[in-house]
């Protein structure tokens, strides 16, 4: 069995400006790094199709989708929040990134591949049901969860988010939904400063102080997540994989290294192995130091392809 690797050239056409950290070069850096490793031959490369409107409405109201449609400019850029810009290629890229997540669910649940990594952008975990923010428009991982729950009729899906920023958008979508267990580690206090204190039973927030060592991060995450995930017995494991907790990342102050991303991946593949028949889908969120991002993704893929 194999690991699917989803990517599409049009995801690199979305460009929020030369100084913006969420840049097309992130995908280029990952893909060129992988091309020089043995990973390239182990991966099943897939070009995704765009997500459909009906699939988008499993998470986002039609009014919000329409608002984005009419905001997208035919030239130049329009900001939807101080950090997030739309330009003529934005929604095409967003539909491909979201479509890749849905397609990955279909492929993994039909046993065409063992697991999958979606190497696409824009990212998704800050996008709330009716609000784009934090470089995100459609919530990719929530759309994957809804595909698994509503179309494939799974009963228990775990979402694990190890991006350095809390996935406020995903919390907004899944809080209170007992079919989903969300485990989320993030630097705190830090952006996005919302949804951190929500007390929904299905959300496990694991705040991490700036400057925390990698070994302390591992201890906190393992203590907070592992038994909870094992008790939940997910039929599918979804991962919001952000690599901005890396020591070299310019946007945050945690101290993770590539080996920590391999450790995280092995913990999650072991949960998927024990309960979900190895079924796991991971999607790219943040990560803004290009070399650290590429190395972190490669370590993550090393763990996924070892299953
Ligand atoms: Zn982030």
């Amino acid at each position: 069995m194999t690991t699917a690797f989803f990517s599409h050239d049009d995801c690199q056409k979305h460009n929020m400006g030369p100084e913006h950290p969420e840049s097309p070069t992130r995908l280029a850096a990952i893909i060129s790094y992988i091309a020089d490793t043995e990973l390239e031959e182990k991966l099943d490369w897939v070009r995704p199709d765009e997500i459909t409107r009906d699939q988008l409405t499993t998470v986002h109201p039609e009014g919000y989708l329409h608002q984005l449609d009419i905001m997208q400019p035919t030239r130049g850029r329009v900001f939807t929040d101080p950090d997030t810009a739309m330009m003529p290629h934005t929604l095409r890229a967003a539909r491909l990134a979201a479509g890749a997540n849905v397609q990955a669910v279909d492929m993994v649940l039909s046993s065409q591949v063992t697991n999958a990594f979606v190497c696409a952008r824009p990212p998704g975990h800050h996008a709330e049901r009716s609000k784009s923010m934090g470089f995100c428009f459609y919530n990719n991982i929530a759309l994957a969860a809804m595909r698994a729950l509503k179309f494939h009729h799974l009963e228990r899906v775990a979402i694990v988010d190890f991006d350095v920023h809390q996935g406020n958008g995903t919390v907004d979508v899944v809080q209170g939904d007992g079919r989903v267990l969300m485990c989320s580690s993030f630097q705190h206090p830090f952006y996005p400063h919302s949804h951190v204190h929500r007390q929904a039973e299905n959300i496990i927030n694991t705040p991490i102080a700036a400057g925390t060592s990698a070994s302390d991060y591992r201890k906190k995450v393992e203590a907070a997540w592992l038994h909870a995930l094992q008790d939940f017995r997910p039929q599918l494991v979804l991962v919001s994989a952000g690599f901005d907790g890396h020591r070299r990342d310019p946007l945050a102050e945690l101290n993770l290294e590539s080996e920590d991303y391999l450790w995280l991946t092995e913990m999650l593949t072991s949960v998927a192995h024990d309960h979900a028949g190895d079924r796991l889908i991971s999607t790219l969120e943040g990560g803004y130091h290009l070399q650290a991002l590429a190395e972190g993704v490669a370590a993550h893929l090393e763990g996924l392809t070892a299953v």
Side-chain angles (χ1 to χ4, degrees), residues 36 44 98 109 118 121 125 151-152 158 162 199 222 225 228 237 247 254 261 273 282 301:
D36 288 337
D44 185 358
L109 292 183
V118 176
R121 56 184 285 281
H125 73 153
F151 185 80
H152 294 280
F162 59 73
Q199 296 296 318
E222 186 169 325
W225 296 355
V237 176
R247 183 177 53 81
L254 294 192
Y261 292 110
H273 180 75
S282 175
L301 290 170

Side-chain angles (χ1 to χ4, degrees), residues 3-21:
T3 296
F5 183 94
F6 286 81
S7 197
H8 197 295
D9 290 347
D10 287 356
C11 288
Q12 298 190 35
K13 291 183 180 172
H14 164 57
N15 189 334
M16 295 190 282
E19 305 297 323
H20 202 292

Side-chain angles (χ1 to χ4, degrees), residues 161-204:
D161 186 330
F162 59 73
D163 189 278
V164 80
H165 305 96
Q166 200 224 17
N168 60 292
T170 313
V171 174
D172 183 57
V173 176
V174 307
Q175 62 185 340
D177 186 337
R179 301 171 299 175
V180 179
L181 176 69
M182 180 177 178
C183 299
S184 177
S185 64
F186 47 87
Q187 184 174 323
H188 178 72
F190 204 42
Y191 184 90
H193 304 292
S194 68
H195 293 80
V196 171
H197 302 295
R198 297 294 171 94
Q199 296 296 318
E201 279 185 12
N202 67 322
I203 308 291
I204 297 178

Side-chain angles (χ1 to χ4, degrees), residues 68-88:
L68 287 181
D69 290 344
I70 60 175
M71 279 184 79
Q72 176 166 275
T74 53
R75 64 170 73 175
R77 294 189 182 92
V78 171
F79 282 80
T80 62
D81 86 350
D83 305 319
T84 312
M86 300 182 83
M87 43 81 73

Side-chain angles (χ1 to χ4, degrees), residues 55 58 101-103 105-106 109 142-154:
Q55 289 163 358
T58 62
N101 276 269
V102 168
Q103 205 175 332
V105 170
D106 292 349
L109 292 183
L143 287 159
M146 291 307 143
R147 182 68 172 179
L149 294 167
K150 293 184 176 179
F151 185 80
H152 294 280
H153 304 295
L154 295 195

Side-chain angles (χ1 to χ4, degrees), residues 1-4 42 107-108 110-115 277-278 304-305 307:
M1 294 290 281
T2 52
T3 296
K42 293 183 186 171
M107 285 182 73
V108 167
S110 62
S111 302
Q112 293 177 61
V113 293
T114 310
N115 53 34
D278 290 319
L304 295 183
T305 55
V307 170

Side-chain angles (χ1 to χ4, degrees), residues 8-51:
H8 197 295
D9 290 347
D10 287 356
C11 288
Q12 298 190 35
K13 291 183 180 172
H14 164 57
N15 189 334
M16 295 190 282
E19 305 297 323
H20 202 292
E22 206 291 279
S23 81
T25 53
R26 300 175 63 235
L27 299 188
I30 293 167
I31 290 166
S32 71
Y33 186 88
I34 289 170
D36 288 337
T37 70
E38 292 177 358
L39 283 166
E40 181 166 44
E41 291 182 5
K42 293 183 186 171
L43 299 169
D44 185 358
W45 292 67
V46 184
R47 262 168 73 93
D49 297 321
E50 291 188 13
I51 195 167

Side-chain angles (χ1 to χ4, degrees), residues 131-147:
K131 186 176 176 187
S132 77
M133 61 180 276
F135 321 158
C136 303
F137 302 91
Y138 305 142
N139 194 309
N140 299 320
I141 207 72
L143 287 159
M146 291 307 143
R147 182 68 172 179

